[in-house]
Amino acid sequence: MDRARIPIEELITSFKSTSTVDDILDKLETWNRYDSQQIPLEHSKEHTLRKLLLHSENPVKLKEKVQSIDKNKLANKFMELIQEIREDKKLTVFMEKRYKEYEKDTNCSEVVQYYKDEIEKRNEFQKQRQMKKEIKEKKVILKKSVCKTTPLWKNLRKYQALDYFNIPMTCYNTTNPEEHELVGDILSCLQGFHTKFINPNNLEIPLTFNINETIDPQFKCIVPKILRLVSAYTIICRYSEENRQSHNGYVNQALACYISKFIRDYLNFIICLENQHKSGELGLQSLSFAAQAHVYKMEFVARIVSMITQEKKKGGQTLSLLHEEMTQCYIDESLKKLMAGMVEVSTIPFFQSLEKWIFKGQVFDPCDEFMIKCGNLVLSDDTEKYWNRCYTVRNEYVPSYLEKFKEIILRTGKYLNALYHCNIPNKSNLIYTSTNNEKLVYSMWCSDSTNYLKTINNAYMFASSSLLNVLLIDYDLMNRLKSIKRYFLLEQGDFVVHLLDVCDEELKKPTDDIVYNRLESLLDICLRVNVGCVDQYKDDIKMELKKDPLSFQIFKILAIQTEKEKDYTNFQPSSNLLGIQSFCLGLTTQWPVSLIFNETVISNYQILFRLLLLCKNVERQLLKVWLCDKHLKKIPSTSATTYKKAFNLRQNMLLFVQNLEYYMFEEVIETQWQAFTSAIQYKVKNVDELLDEQQKFLNLCLKNCMVTNPDLMKSSRYLLELCTEFSDYILLSKSHLNHLKLDFEKSIQILENKFTAAMIDLLKCIRKMSRLDSGNIIYNFLYRMDFNGMYTEQINMDDTILYT
């Protein structure tokens, strides 16, 4: 196989192919397996070689080449491939042409080397990808094995354990033991050994003992008090020996290591008692007093490790339990010192993982015990999902003393992780380093001066300010926001005028009949005229044709988690929308800008755009009617009286649309935009606050533009539909002016009645809302529409006006 790689590489280089050597070998191997069952004689190795030698320019060299690869099983298939290429005339001509090009390129060694390097890079990439896959699988297997296996040494070498274990016991004929012998027996029992007079009934917790009945009654009443020490010692030993490995987490492992030191101190205490016993200075009563001095400490530790074991606590759960016990140790200084040591040692592995998270944005959690969980999501087009779900807080593993700061800790790592994915030159500056290279160290009381809280706050300020500065400076966020306002919120007047003029014919068609590429080209022209030509982010704007009407999109959002949700989820909107009803702008962004302009934010901008574009289009249609009215004024005055109501109705509709546009553009969007941009400059300190401010801006715009209130939205939409119906009727009747008499007057009267009723209904809704919320600026629209008291009398009426 190795010898065949060289000629294949030469062929790939000659033909400038992007295939790899492994791909070609796989194909040749497949052909070989397929043809191995039946190979005709005429295609044998010798027959093929003779054919090649007859047509070869250098038969000797070709024969030597075949003999050099003769040992390879694929040599025969390789010669058949060359024979098939020679018999195919078209392929031969093509290869000769490419060979001439190759001869020209051979003078330039850089070109040849380029293709060779590309082949090597691709082969190396495939190898690395395969290695990464294998390493990932091994890590998963290793993680499962580490986290689920129990320590085998205790089962294989049970005599090395300090705890009791099952062994066959020999029956001793014990009769009335002396005090000295009984004390030695008890000392052995205190170390976990089976003895003559005292043995455990079973090895389950709590441990009970079988005391020999031959012991003197005056001694027998003292022995159970001493055995309390043995029961606590057994519990502590079991925890220490079962958690020496990390299958229950690094926190429990660290606690077990500290407890092993506590056990050594206990065993040193027993050794001192044994020395006294050997010198004859230790009696049973003295042993009882000495045991009582240590039993409260042993039982205290045993109670803690029992709670950890029974409730299967690990990670932050263990730290919360230890912290709670630490705060309750007020009286005994020795217990406070013991608990302080347990908490400090157990916190070290947790704080090491915490340092990696808040300093580098990396999750180090091999035993699944850390407070931050990585969702293993890939950064893709769905940026919002990645940002909200990739890293989450696991509340059950948050230590109680970090409960108030869990959101800060989560955001700190998320900001650093986001910076890691940014396309900036020097990423080494994105790692937080404390001024004095301080480490996170536990302290019992939480305060601003606490070491770890100060470090966490400093890391948070560094990460949040760094990401915000990258967005504002490196990615020019403010100009991007201005570009969004220019197009989505129709700040640029010439853009919307050109859009409606240039795309008028296409937007009048049904959505299914629109030529997408043509409309996209027209939009591109509109983006590049006048002010838009200097906008460097105009290429991020794209076109979309929504299948749902605006009202359906709005009410579907409003109906979420309400009783009306089923009506919108099961409803299938009609697809016969016009282009102007389905036309919408979209936005193409890359990380981290896509973090600010996520799917939810863009959908809100799109709702505002569709509403504003609809109003502009209605105004444009009414202005066409105004031009038609100018033409009607040239007819005799006797006939012109027929169209007076139409003139009045057109003026009322135009007044409504223009006042609505002024209210939305100037009093809502512009006012909220100024507050939004000033908040970014002076108030916002991190990305989450920036996202909150932007969502606040959009929510206020949607609310004050009568989008989030179903009644207001329904009334305003109905009024715009009446304006469209009126303008279409007038423009359609323009060519039949001589026939407009009675039917025209009747139609105009019906439209006027509908418009007046709908207007009064809208103003009533606004007045009712303004009473509930006195600070709502929507009352300004009511004041503008009823500036001359035209609708005052109808608004004050209690009867509800229905549409006719």
Side-chain angles (χ1 to χ4, degrees), residues 51-62 86:
K51 278 189 174 184
L52 290 175
L53 293 174
L54 288 174
H55 298 89
S56 175
E57 295 179 358
N58 195 344
V60 178
K61 190 174 180 180
L62 177 61
R86 189 193 63 79

Side-chain angles (χ1 to χ4, degrees), residues 690-707:
L690 176 60
L691 290 170
D692 292 340
E693 288 294 333
Q694 182 174 228
Q695 196 59 51
K696 177 183 176 182
F697 161 72
L698 290 170
N699 290 339
L700 288 174
C701 288
L702 292 172
K703 175 186 175 183
N704 294 326
C705 288
M706 299 180 284
V707 172

Side-chain angles (χ1 to χ4, degrees), residues 124-151:
E124 186 65 25
F125 174 75
Q126 288 183 349
K127 290 179 182 179
Q128 289 180 359
R129 185 171 61 179
Q130 184 66 23
M131 288 175 61
K132 287 181 180 179
K133 185 177 180 182
E134 293 175 358
I135 291 172
K136 188 176 181 180
E137 292 175 353
K138 287 180 181 179
K139 282 184 178 180
V140 173
I141 295 172
L142 181 62
K143 184 176 179 180
K144 291 181 179 179
S145 62
V146 168
C147 296
K148 293 186 178 180
T149 55
T150 57

Side-chain angles (χ1 to χ4, degrees), residues 194-441:
H194 298 267
T195 60
K196 297 179 181 178
F197 307 105
I198 303 170
N199 287 301
N201 291 323
N202 52 53
L203 300 182
E204 296 179 358
I205 300 297
L207 197 64
T208 58
F209 294 90
N210 181 20
I211 302 175
N212 199 307
E213 296 179 356
T214 60
I215 298 177
D216 195 324
Q218 63 176 346
F219 298 147
K220 197 171 184 178
C221 63
I222 301 176
V223 172
K225 297 179 181 179
I226 303 175
L227 294 182
R228 289 173 55 192
L229 197 63
V230 182
S231 300
Y233 168 75
T234 302
I235 295 172
I236 296 171
C237 270
R238 290 188 182 183
Y239 178 84
S240 175
E241 293 178 351
E242 290 177 359
N243 288 274
R244 286 184 183 178
Q245 293 184 0
S246 60
H247 60 284
N248 286 331
Y250 288 158
V251 173
N252 286 344
Q253 187 182 25
L255 179 60
C257 292
Y258 184 84
I259 288 177
S260 63
K261 294 172 59 179
F262 177 73
I263 294 174
R264 285 199 298 271
D265 294 339
Y266 167 77
L267 293 177
N268 290 333
F269 162 70
I270 300 299
I271 291 172
C272 295
L273 294 178
E274 284 183 339
N275 292 332
Q276 294 179 19
H277 174 62
K278 289 179 181 179
S279 62
E281 299 177 358
L282 184 66
L284 189 62
Q285 195 68 33
S286 301
L287 176 61
S288 175
F289 284 133
Q292 294 304 316
H294 285 78
V295 71
Y296 78 98
K297 189 182 295 185
M298 293 289 289
E299 288 183 342
F300 177 77
V301 177
R303 180 176 62 84
I304 293 175
V305 298
S306 296
M307 293 172 61
I308 295 173
T309 304
Q310 292 173 5
E311 300 177 12
K312 298 181 179 180
K313 294 182 178 292
K314 63 178 183 177
Q317 297 173 332
T318 301
L319 295 179
S320 297
L321 175 64
L322 295 177
H323 177 73
E324 184 179 354
E325 293 293 336
M326 178 74 179
T327 56
Q328 294 177 0
C329 293
Y330 297 111
I331 302 174
D332 197 330
E333 288 295 329
S334 61
L335 284 182
K336 288 177 66 176
K337 185 177 180 181
L338 175 63
M339 279 304 306
M342 293 171 64
V343 177
E344 289 176 5
V345 172
S346 303
T347 309
I348 290 174
F350 185 88
F351 273 2
Q352 287 176 348
S353 298
L354 186 60
E355 285 177 359
K356 286 193 175 184
W357 174 247
I358 65 174
F359 292 167
K360 299 180 180 180
Q362 301 173 0
V363 175
F364 178 75
D365 189 18
C367 297
D368 195 28
E369 60 176 344
F370 190 50
M371 62 182 289
I372 305 297
K373 181 181 179 181
C374 179
N376 294 325
L377 298 178
V378 179
L379 180 59
S380 59
D381 296 335
D382 195 353
T383 310
E384 184 179 9
K385 182 179 178 181
Y386 176 83
W387 182 251
N388 294 329
R389 300 183 186 179
C390 185
Y391 297 104
T392 53
V393 176
R394 296 196 288 185
N395 294 315
E396 64 274 16
Y397 291 132
V398 177
S400 56
Y401 49 87
L402 295 178
E403 183 69 30
K404 296 180 180 179
F405 308 95
K406 61 182 181 181
E407 288 299 326
I408 293 178
I409 293 171
L410 174 65
R411 291 179 180 180
T412 303
K414 284 175 67 174
Y415 294 157
L416 293 174
N417 186 266
L419 285 169
Y420 177 77
H421 290 95
C422 292
N423 186 17
I424 52 181
N426 190 6
K427 293 186 178 181
S428 60
N429 298 328
L430 303 180
I431 299 176
Y432 173 75
T433 53
S434 58
T435 53
N436 300 324
N437 292 326
E438 298 175 347
K439 297 288 184 180
L440 296 178
V441 180

Side-chain angles (χ1 to χ4, degrees), residues 411-619:
R411 291 179 180 180
T412 303
K414 284 175 67 174
Y415 294 157
L416 293 174
N417 186 266
L419 285 169
Y420 177 77
H421 290 95
C422 292
N423 186 17
I424 52 181
N426 190 6
K427 293 186 178 181
S428 60
N429 298 328
L430 303 180
I431 299 176
Y432 173 75
T433 53
S434 58
T435 53
N436 300 324
N437 292 326
E438 298 175 347
K439 297 288 184 180
L440 296 178
V441 180
Y442 168 82
S443 60
M444 184 173 66
W445 304 111
C446 291
S447 64
D448 295 336
S449 60
T450 303
N451 174 267
Y452 64 86
L453 293 185
K454 186 187 296 183
T455 306
I456 290 171
N457 286 326
N458 292 337
Y460 171 72
M461 295 301 297
F462 168 79
S464 60
S465 59
S466 298
L467 181 57
L468 188 61
N469 290 336
V470 166
L471 285 170
L472 292 175
I473 299 173
D474 295 352
Y475 287 91
D476 198 14
L477 181 62
M478 290 306 298
N479 284 331
R480 289 180 184 271
L481 286 169
K482 290 178 181 178
S483 179
I484 293 291
K485 184 188 179 188
R486 180 175 291 119
Y487 298 114
F488 280 85
L489 303 182
L490 302 184
E491 181 190 36
Q492 184 178 334
D494 60 340
F495 165 70
V496 66
V497 171
H498 280 88
L499 179 66
L500 293 176
D501 287 342
V502 175
C503 305
D504 185 51
E505 295 299 326
E506 288 292 326
L507 294 178
K508 287 181 179 179
K509 299 178 183 178
T511 305
D512 297 336
D513 298 338
I514 292 177
V515 180
Y516 188 88
N517 293 335
R518 184 188 302 167
L519 186 57
E520 190 175 32
S521 301
L522 294 175
L523 174 63
D524 187 64
I525 293 172
C526 298
L527 292 172
R528 298 179 185 279
V529 296
N530 297 339
V531 182
C533 64
V534 297
D535 188 350
Q536 56 181 327
Y537 302 113
K538 60 182 177 296
D539 294 330
D540 293 341
I541 304 296
K542 63 179 182 179
M543 186 191 74
E544 294 182 8
L545 293 176
K546 297 290 185 180
K547 295 182 179 180
D548 301 334
L550 176 60
S551 57
F552 178 82
Q553 183 183 4
I554 293 171
F555 289 127
K556 186 177 180 181
I557 294 173
L558 296 177
I560 293 176
Q561 297 179 350
T562 64
E563 296 178 355
K564 298 180 180 180
E565 182 179 359
K566 295 180 180 179
D567 298 337
Y568 291 98
T569 54
N570 298 328
F571 174 70
Q572 297 295 331
S574 59
S575 59
N576 56 349
L577 293 177
L578 296 178
I580 190 64
Q581 296 173 326
S582 62
F583 180 81
C584 188
L585 295 181
L587 189 68
T588 303
T589 55
Q590 301 296 327
W591 182 271
V593 180
S594 58
L595 180 62
I596 306 300
F597 303 114
N598 53 54
E599 186 177 353
T600 303
V601 169
I602 294 301
S603 64
N604 289 335
Y605 277 116
Q606 287 177 339
I607 289 175
L608 289 172
F609 172 79
R610 296 179 73 179
L611 178 61
L612 296 174
L613 185 66
L614 176 63
C615 292
K616 283 291 184 181
N617 184 62
V618 172
E619 181 188 15

